Amino acid sequence: LPDRILRNHVVAAVSGFVNAISMGTVQWSASVQQDLLNLLTCLFKFGNLQDIASILNSCISSIAIEAWLGVLPQLLARIHIKQPSVRSVLHPLLVRLGEKHPQAFIYPLSVLLKSPVAERKSAAQSLMNSLRSHSSALVGEALLVSSELIRVAILWLETWHEGLEDASRLYFGDGNMAAMLDVLLPLHENLERGAETERETEFLGAFGQDLAQGH
């Protein structure tokens, strides 16, 4: 289809979905979430068409902000999207949602902050900074809990076992010394910060000297 005709169809679809969502949220309907997902499809698939992003921005403001909580995982999954027109809709929506419901954002964002994808990690950091500007205490407490949960769930022994396997593959298999160091250096930095749990103390006692010599 020519862009002009496609744009007209998308505008009509956006208008229809927004009206359906607005009516559905007056008395919550099971179809609301499906309509929201369809609206997001219009954004992610056709947001680069002329004026679609600005139309979506003007329409989205008429939808109750609480409605977006049901599709928060889908919103956060695309925070690293590259198209500027799509980002101009997605990121302001996430900022608004974070201002009203910061507690819903904290833990999903704390996971994304550890993403190996640089663009996703950067976008998550930007949103976390926005949350910190109005909910700094909540952000600090949530990040502390998140890091401690990860520390309890993933022991140093497991982390080092996986790290050494990856480093060996990168060096001996791929001949990539820089990538090997990228894996190992953060592990050594953790050791240098010292043990904070009984299991970490046991790990240092068993392997700390050998690992320090290897460093």
Side-chain angles (χ1 to χ4, degrees), residues 3-214:
D3 282 354
R4 181 180 57 81
I5 297 176
L6 182 59
R7 175 190 173 281
N8 291 340
H9 285 304
V10 175
V11 170
V14 167
S15 176
F17 288 133
V18 169
N19 288 336
I21 294 163
S22 298
M23 288 187 289
T25 51
V26 174
Q27 293 184 337
W28 192 264
S29 167
S31 65
V32 168
Q33 187 165 359
Q34 187 58 53
D35 290 332
L36 281 166
L37 291 173
N38 288 330
L39 184 59
L40 289 180
T41 297
C42 291
L43 169 62
F44 297 139
K45 194 170 182 179
F46 304 109
N48 59 328
L49 292 177
Q50 184 181 4
D51 297 332
I52 293 298
S54 59
I55 292 169
L56 277 164
N57 264 326
S58 62
C59 291
I60 281 174
S61 62
S62 67
I63 298 173
I65 195 67
E66 289 73 19
W68 296 101
L69 291 173
V71 292
L72 182 57
Q74 288 82 1
L75 294 172
L76 291 175
R78 299 296 190 101
I79 61 171
H80 61 297
I81 200 162
K82 293 182 178 180
Q83 292 98 318
S85 55
V86 177
R87 289 173 67 95
S88 72
V89 178
L90 179 60
H91 282 222
L93 173 60
L94 287 169
V95 169
R96 283 177 53 219
L97 192 52
E99 290 173 353
K100 293 289 186 180
H101 299 280
Q103 72 284 354
F105 269 73
I106 294 295
Y107 290 111
L109 274 184
S110 67
V111 173
L112 290 173
L113 285 174
K114 297 174 175 61
S115 172
V117 180
E119 293 86 353
R120 183 174 295 162
K121 185 176 181 178
S122 174
Q125 186 63 62
S126 175
L127 286 173
M128 188 65 84
N129 291 340
S130 173
L131 286 181
R132 200 186 298 273
S133 68
H134 53 76
S135 305
S136 59
L138 179 63
V139 170
E141 292 168 3
L143 290 178
L144 176 61
V145 170
S146 175
S147 65
E148 290 305 310
L149 286 173
I150 292 171
R151 184 189 295 276
V152 171
I154 305 175
L155 302 178
W156 274 7
L157 183 63
E158 297 167 344
T159 303
W160 271 94
H161 184 274
E162 182 179 350
L164 289 172
E165 281 193 343
D166 289 344
S168 176
R169 174 182 54 79
L170 289 166
Y171 183 73
F172 294 107
D174 301 342
N176 191 338
M177 182 178 291
M180 177 197 73
L181 292 174
D182 286 342
V183 171
L184 293 178
L185 288 178
L187 298 178
H188 282 289
E189 289 171 2
N190 279 339
L191 288 186
E192 290 170 358
R193 282 196 288 267
E196 296 182 9
T197 68
E198 184 177 344
R199 290 292 183 88
E200 291 173 0
T201 301
E202 292 173 357
F203 180 88
L204 278 179
F207 307 107
Q209 187 175 353
D210 292 336
L211 292 171
Q213 289 175 354

